[in-house]
Amino acid sequence: MSVSSILAETGTVTRFAGRVFREGFRPRFEVQELLYQCYVIGYQSLPLVGLTGFIMGLVLTLRLRPTMVQFGADSWIPVMVGMTIIQEMGPIITGLMVAGKVGSNIGAELSSMRVTEQIDAMSVSGTNPFKYLVVTRVLAATLMVPVLTVLSDAIGLFAAYVGINTNGVTTVALFTNQIVARLTFGDVLPAVIKTFFFGFAIGLIGCYKGYYADKGTEGVGRAANSAVVAGSLAVFLLDLLAVLISSLLGLY
Amino acid sequence: MTAFLLITNRLPLPTMPQRPVGNSIRLGAFVLTGLGCLLAVLFLLGRKQNLFSRSLVIEADFRNVSGLLTGNNVRLGGITVGTVKGITIVNDSTIRVAMSLNTDAQPFVRRNAVATVGTDGLVGNTIINLTAQPAPAPPVAAGDRLRTTTPASLNAMLGTLDISNKNLAVITQSLRRMATKLDTSAIWQLLNDRQLPATVHLSLGNVLATTAQLRQAAQNAVQLTNGVRRGQGPLGYLLTDQQFGGQLGHAARQLAGTSDTLAATLTGLKRQVQTGAGPVHTLLADTAAARQVRQSLRSVQQGTAGFNQSMEALHHNFLLRGYFRKQARKKARATADSLKRVGQAR
Amino acid sequence: MLPAPTPAPPAAPTANPAEAVLTIANVSLAFGENHVLQDFSLTLLRGENIVVMGKSGAGKSVLIKCVIGLLQTDSGTITVLGQDVAALDHNGLDRLRTKLGFLFQSNALYDSMTVRDNLLFPLRRQWLTHTPAQEAELVKQALEDVGLADTAAKMPAELSGGMRKRIALARTLILRPEIILYDEPTTGLDPITGREIDHLIREVQKKYNTSALIISHDLACVRLTADRVALLSEGRCYAEDTYAGMQANADPQVHDFFV
């Protein structure tokens, strides 16, 4: 992919995002469809995100333990794991899982609708397909990824608690206090805020790839595939951006 | 067309076209759980930072806050009772720290409590420790300014070294005075006195004790200079303190004087012994007294050796090397001057 | 709900100079260098079926997408039921589209919805309000019209190609359109199913007195459904006649289509 084509693609995606905002703020609002998409993107992704969150928390704790014990810093395990999960691992893992599951789903669904003229059929049926399909999905992803991240964080921390309790007993209160004692708003809020952008990027890229899919069979596959790749990449880029911005603001 | 059908059949599309009420309930539960978790964390953090409990603000002025930040903890007896709310520079040597104190802890923080800047563990955050004083005092009220102290530092250590040097000077002075008294006519009176052996015995005992003190003082000096050598910090203090150097010189001179006097006394005593007359003989016959004299002489020797050592240490100490070098230069210049003068006179 | 109002009497379509419901006048459209439509003109009368024939890629589908406002023309005017399509704003276009039906080549049934929801989608999305009882009645009516009354609860993926085509037609019919645009209605179907669809098109025309613009190159379909045939070639309306007239046409270009 040449530089100019990347720039052109970025430009088109930006214009697409602009259209999402323009059309999103104009009535009529597709509340029913938005709620349904929230259900599909949010609730139906929870098992996957929750499972990865649990495994992540458990593995992180068990891996960290030998090193920390060597340094005689067992009491720092909850802090280390908690900070890692809340600041980076939770948002990133959730973002990637959603980019994989939801991004591909949106990309495939919209591109197949495009290919089988369902999008045109919506226009003909007096429905703005952009609003009905794109705006609702982008908005639902934007709103649901933070919720999924918070739940994934919670599940990950629970897994960390389980992991710590495999070697000796720690009470929930102590575990919570150890984490909360080191945590500040500057750790939590940027980590939550950036997930809104993750969700927006995943939804936007999925919709863009699907909505402008090539006609034909391979267009659908390509749309689903590139939605996942570009979505995951966007999650990492936004995360980098978030770190830079919050260190500029002195939050870390 | 058939291809399209195949794709659409294979696609992982949601198979729940109807949107029953159950979905809304699940979605609602999902979102509320997520929001609940987030709010719980934010509440815990807020409670930690006293956003929700009532608080009062008290102040304290420090010379140095060692990187204290807004939001750091304020502790009373190791328990967090508040947070640092603001840090302002009042002037070049005063940093004013405003602390917001939980109202729950207010009765336990007395007006005479002392605030110090400390660290939480070896690598932890900077914190403010409030230390209660034994004297009774009313609880703090909003706007009170607490007293502060600075924990021990190199400054304080150098101060102690100065004092012990002064002490050393005093000790050697009194030792010299005593030796002079021995040397003057009083010694002959003593020698003629029938009670001389007992008195000498006693005074030699005193000498012994004094020299032991001297040795201890010298050891102290060694320790302190070692401390200085290890430490780092305000070098200028020692280097610019002419008085300190002067005192050291004075002490050395006096010690030298004392040794001289002792030597003179001992020559006298030796002569007495050689003549083999008078109560000196008795004195020498008293082996215990002789041993004491030897011991005390050895003590003096050790004391001077220790002092030598400490002077040597001071010479090598990089803190003071500059000072000694300056002294040497001054001496060299003085010699050169006198030589020049001699030359001119010729 | 009754069929759409018909102010003009539904006389024999070709005989009387009846009211024109769709007028395409001098329409041109180019995609870059590719001039798909060049000065194309055609008039559709009330109750009349016109089949537009042409080679693949000649711009037949583009033509009817211009009619329904999915594509913008470069020049020329398209007047549907007295309204200039290009001059309509978003809401105006939506209102006009309630009177226009469009049967997509690939049916465009919403895969994620049942047949019932597919039929109700245009009904609920348009500026119309119905009670649940009215909705159920309309769905039942539309499904009976296409002979698939018992498929309401099925998913489109469970249906055969011919059934899907019928459901798509039912979804078009539920709004009682005055004009139906068919995009290759028999392509991809076996001949027997294709003939069933052709008869259905005729039945709908009779029952609701609709006009239809049909895109096709299936000769059997053209013969069964067309009142008039137009041949689209090089972006223009090359020839226009009844099926019999076209068949008798000696012009080699026309003749090639009717071998």
Side-chain angles (χ1 to χ4, degrees):
Chain A
M1 221 175 169
S2 71
V3 175
S4 61
S5 71
I6 290 175
L7 289 180
E9 187 89 350
T10 312
T12 346
V13 174
T14 312
R15 210 177 305 150
F16 191 75
R19 193 173 161 198
V20 169
F21 282 113
R22 236 183 8 259
E23 304 225 9
F25 285 114
R26 220 186 288 147
R28 84 210 222 200
F29 302 111
E30 309 283 357
V31 180
Q32 270 307 117
E33 182 64 13
L34 174 68
L35 289 179
Y36 179 67
Q37 287 305 325
C38 285
Y39 176 78
V40 171
I41 293 173
Y43 184 84
Q44 294 192 340
S45 302
L46 184 59
L48 182 72
V49 168
L51 185 66
T52 46
F54 187 87
I55 293 170
M56 174 187 71
L58 197 60
V59 167
L60 211 58
T61 312
L62 297 180
R63 277 265 174 236
L64 210 56
R65 192 177 177 80
T67 324
M68 296 301 272
V69 167
Q70 254 179 4
F71 286 113
D74 322 28
S75 64
W76 279 72
I77 297 175
V79 183
M80 295 276 285
V81 175
M83 285 288 218
T84 315
I85 289 178
I86 290 172
Q87 288 196 321
E88 280 307 323
M89 289 303 251
I92 280 278
I93 296 281
T94 309
L96 290 183
M97 293 316 288
V98 173
K101 182 184 184 290
V102 173
S104 66
N105 197 357
I106 291 177
E109 189 179 7
L110 291 200
S111 59
S112 75
M113 288 183 85
R114 164 67 71 196
V115 165
T116 57
E117 299 176 298
Q118 291 176 48
I119 291 179
D120 286 339
M122 284 197 173
S123 298
V124 170
S125 300
T127 300
N128 182 342
F130 197 89
K131 236 189 236 172
Y132 188 82
L133 297 172
V134 175
V135 173
T136 54
R137 278 166 174 77
V138 173
L139 194 58
T142 311
L143 295 177
M144 287 302 110
V145 170
V147 179
L148 282 170
T149 306
V150 169
L151 287 176
S152 160
D153 285 354
I155 293 170
L157 290 177
F158 172 72
Y161 175 72
V162 171
I164 285 168
N165 267 327
T166 54
N167 308 58
V169 179
T170 309
T171 59
V172 180
L174 177 62
F175 181 77
T176 316
N177 277 337
Q178 277 176 332
I179 293 175
V180 169
R182 293 282 158 180
L183 220 55
T184 59
F185 284 114
D187 299 325
V188 177
L189 290 182
V192 173
I193 289 167
K194 72 182 173 187
T195 56
F196 282 95
F197 291 91
F198 288 1
F200 180 77
I202 293 166
L204 187 79
I205 290 170
C207 287
Y208 170 77
K209 295 287 182 186
Y211 202 74
Y212 293 124
D214 302 330
K215 285 242 168 188
T217 330
E218 54 197 305
V220 177
R222 211 169 26 235
N225 181 39
S226 53
V228 175
V229 173
S232 312
L233 195 64
V235 166
F236 276 112
L237 285 177
L238 285 172
D239 194 53
L240 176 66
L241 207 64
V243 170
L244 293 180
I245 289 174
S246 35
S247 58
L248 267 184
L249 295 176
L251 287 171
Y252 282 102
Chain B
M1 172 79 192
T2 8
F4 294 158
L5 292 179
L6 283 174
I7 309 160
T8 46
N9 284 347
R10 246 187 282 132
L11 277 173
L13 293 172
T15 49
M16 218 175 294
Q18 282 99 358
R19 284 126 215 226
V21 189
N23 284 2
S24 308
I25 292 172
R26 282 184 217 157
L27 179 64
F30 165 75
V31 171
L32 285 181
T33 315
L35 285 180
C37 287
L38 185 63
L39 287 180
V41 169
L42 293 182
F43 173 74
L44 284 175
L45 289 181
R47 202 179 60 180
K48 193 189 79 175
Q49 304 203 348
N50 303 322
L51 285 190
F52 307 123
S53 64
R54 289 160 52 74
S55 61
L56 72 158
V57 177
I58 55 173
E59 292 178 336
D61 289 349
F62 292 91
R63 283 183 77 88
N64 184 341
V65 292
S66 321
L68 192 73
L69 293 171
T70 309
N72 278 141
N73 287 331
V74 176
R75 293 192 177 160
L76 174 71
I79 291 175
T80 305
V81 293
T83 52
V84 173
K85 203 179 177 205
I87 300 168
T88 45
I89 302 177
V90 178
N91 57 47
D92 61 349
S93 62
T94 311
I95 311 294
R96 181 159 298 163
V97 175
M99 295 168 272
S100 102
L101 214 62
N102 291 356
T103 33
D104 314 347
Q106 186 193 9
F108 306 108
V109 181
R110 303 284 164 172
R111 202 164 274 180
N112 64 351
V114 174
T116 47
V117 177
T119 25
D120 186 5
L122 200 60
V123 288
N125 291 318
T126 310
I127 55 169
I128 287 189
N129 286 311
L130 302 181
T131 318
Q133 298 298 304
V140 286
D144 279 355
R145 196 162 301 157
L146 297 182
R147 283 192 299 133
T148 59
T149 56
T150 325
S153 68
L154 189 72
N155 265 332
M157 234 159 72
L158 283 171
T160 319
L161 178 66
D162 201 17
I163 291 166
S164 48
N165 262 311
K166 275 180 194 152
N167 289 346
L168 188 64
V170 171
I171 291 162
T172 48
Q173 210 161 21
S174 50
L175 190 64
R176 181 192 171 190
R177 211 177 300 135
M178 206 172 66
T180 318
K181 272 182 190 156
L182 258 174
D183 189 35
T184 48
S185 56
I187 184 98
W188 301 113
Q189 282 172 13
L190 274 172
L191 287 172
N192 289 329
D193 198 335
R194 300 301 303 179
Q195 292 180 320
L196 181 76
T199 325
V200 167
H201 194 143
L202 199 66
S203 75
L204 280 174
N206 287 344
V207 169
L208 181 68
T210 317
T211 47
Q213 273 180 342
L214 182 62
R215 184 172 57 183
Q216 205 174 349
Q219 270 167 357
N220 281 347
V222 173
Q223 263 173 10
L224 284 165
T225 46
N226 282 345
V228 171
R229 202 186 305 164
R230 271 199 307 274
Q232 71 264 87
L235 317 181
Y237 175 73
L238 262 188
L239 297 181
T240 51
D241 193 346
Q242 295 284 350
Q243 216 187 345
F244 174 67
Q247 276 167 358
L248 269 179
H250 185 56
R253 266 197 306 283
Q254 281 189 342
L255 194 61
T258 314
S259 320
D260 285 355
T261 329
L262 266 174
T265 317
L266 285 170
T267 321
L269 275 172
K270 190 179 167 192
R271 210 182 311 130
Q272 284 285 321
V273 172
Q274 273 166 354
T275 53
V280 172
H281 193 74
T282 327
L283 178 69
L284 290 178
D286 184 345
T287 50
R291 197 166 56 243
Q292 279 181 342
V293 167
R294 262 203 309 280
Q295 207 169 351
S296 90
L297 281 173
R298 206 181 301 131
S299 294
V300 168
Q301 198 182 355
Q302 277 171 355
T304 45
F307 188 73
N308 258 351
Q309 203 180 339
S310 76
M311 284 308 287
E312 195 66 24
L314 280 173
H315 264 295
H316 289 292
N317 191 326
F318 74 98
L319 291 176
L320 305 172
R321 205 181 292 150
Y323 167 71
F324 283 111
R325 217 175 273 154
K326 208 157 67 191
Q327 290 290 95
R329 255 206 309 279
K330 212 184 276 174
K331 206 185 280 174
R333 207 181 303 132
T335 323
D337 283 356
S338 61
L339 277 175
K340 216 184 288 170
R341 259 199 304 281
V342 170
Q344 277 168 352
R346 269 189 197 159
Chain C
M1 189 103 188
L2 287 167
T6 48
T14 42
N16 296 348
E19 175 204 11
V21 286
L22 168 65
T23 313
I24 302 167
N26 312 104
V27 165
S28 297
L29 177 62
F31 296 115
E33 288 299 297
N34 182 13
H35 295 273
V36 180
L37 294 177
Q38 275 183 309
D39 211 19
F40 185 91
S41 297
L42 189 70
T43 304
L44 179 68
L45 302 177
R46 185 167 295 281
E48 180 189 37
N49 281 2
I50 293 184
V51 175
V52 178
M53 296 182 75
K55 280 186 265 184
S56 291
K60 308 187 297 288
S61 293
V62 169
L63 179 71
I64 57 169
K65 284 189 176 169
C66 286
V67 171
I68 203 147
L70 284 175
L71 290 172
Q72 302 265 310
T73 56
D74 292 341
S75 65
T77 52
I78 296 175
T79 314
V80 180
L81 300 170
Q83 288 180 294
D84 183 358
V85 174
L88 288 173
D89 66 355
H90 206 85
N91 290 343
L93 201 59
D94 275 352
R95 284 176 194 282
L96 178 64
R97 281 167 176 171
T98 62
K99 297 170 192 157
L100 279 171
F102 196 116
L103 188 69
F104 287 90
Q105 183 178 351
S106 54
N107 305 327
L109 293 179
Y110 307 122
D111 300 303
S112 56
M113 306 179 194
T114 58
V115 168
R116 179 185 290 107
D117 287 329
N118 260 290
L119 296 193
L120 287 177
F121 187 86
L123 209 59
R124 288 183 174 161
R125 307 299 306 178
Q126 296 290 2
W127 308 89
L128 310 164
T129 45
H130 297 280
T131 64
Q134 282 174 317
E135 284 181 349
E137 178 55 37
L138 282 167
V139 169
K140 188 166 161 274
Q141 177 72 45
L143 286 177
E144 275 171 6
D145 284 345
V146 297
L148 289 169
D150 55 347
T151 55
K154 288 188 172 166
M155 298 298 288
E158 299 171 48
L159 304 174
S160 71
M163 287 161 98
R164 289 161 70 94
K165 187 66 81 185
R166 284 162 187 256
I167 299 298
L169 184 57
R171 187 176 68 183
T172 312
L173 289 175
I174 202 163
L175 285 174
R176 301 281 185 266
E178 292 177 40
I179 306 167
I180 303 180
L181 307 170
Y182 296 91
D183 192 359
E184 311 218 2
T186 55
T187 306
L189 299 176
D190 63 274
I192 297 167
T193 315
R195 295 303 77 72
E196 286 171 12
I197 299 295
D198 294 336
H199 288 299
L200 200 56
I201 292 171
R202 274 295 189 197
E203 277 171 33
V204 166
Q205 181 196 14
K206 279 194 201 114
K207 185 167 181 184
Y208 298 113
N209 190 33
T210 55
S211 313
L213 195 61
I214 303 162
I215 305 293
S216 184
H217 47 233
D218 176 0
L219 274 184
C221 168
V222 177
R223 195 183 62 234
L224 279 171
T225 56
D227 296 320
R228 266 196 298 158
V229 180
L231 182 63
L232 174 62
S233 181
E234 290 160 10
R236 289 179 298 109
C237 185
Y238 188 81
E240 194 185 327
D241 205 341
T242 59
Y243 183 78
M246 286 296 241
Q247 230 176 0
N249 199 319
D251 187 304
Q253 273 215 49
V254 180
H255 188 74
D256 284 352
F257 274 95
F258 294 88
V259 239

